Amino acid sequence: GSISTTVTKDEGVAIKKLVTNERLTALIVDDDKLSRSMLTYLLNKTDVETLEAVNGLDAMQVLMEQTPDIIFLDRYMPEMDGLETIRAI
């Protein structure tokens, strides 16, 4: 049998970027500066552009201005945690 899947517009953009070698953008949301820095370092080494936010509220501000291809989201953060952020997005 064959597998059928639906690709959203945003996922299609990310796939196109991968195929055409366009630079992907990741949003890293974590209140721990060391965690953000380590993930930023690793992603930048693979030529992924990174944006950072210190909590869910900060992430919502970033998302008003930019559309990352992927979001790395910590579960436990002050002000607005990961689950609240997912619900808001």
Side-chain angles (χ1 to χ4, degrees):
S2 65
I3 297 173
S4 176
T5 184
T6 303
V7 177
T8 67
K9 181 181 174 190
D10 290 338
E11 290 169 332
V13 170
I15 292 168
K16 181 180 177 190
K17 286 182 178 182
L18 286 170
V19 171
T20 61
N21 289 326
E22 289 182 50
R23 194 166 190 203
L24 294 173
T25 302
L27 171 59
I28 302 166
V29 187
D30 197 321
D31 59 317
D32 183 70
K33 183 173 177 47
L34 180 60
S35 295
R36 285 194 323 270
S37 296
M38 288 182 356
L39 188 51
T40 294
Y41 173 77
L42 292 171
L43 289 170
N44 288 164
K45 282 186 70 157
T46 62
D47 202 33
V48 174
E49 181 182 346
T50 54
L51 307 167
E52 294 185 25
V54 297
N55 59 44
L57 291 176
D58 194 23
M60 297 308 293
Q61 289 294 327
V62 171
L63 292 171
M64 292 174 106
E65 300 174 14
Q66 301 191 46
T67 306
D69 299 298
I70 189 168
I71 300 172
F72 293 89
L73 186 60
D74 183 20
R75 166 65 175 96
Y76 301 102
M77 297 177 288
E79 296 186 47
M80 181 184 249
D81 70 24
L83 287 179
E84 292 171 318
T85 306
I86 290 170
R87 289 182 185 122
I89 294 171

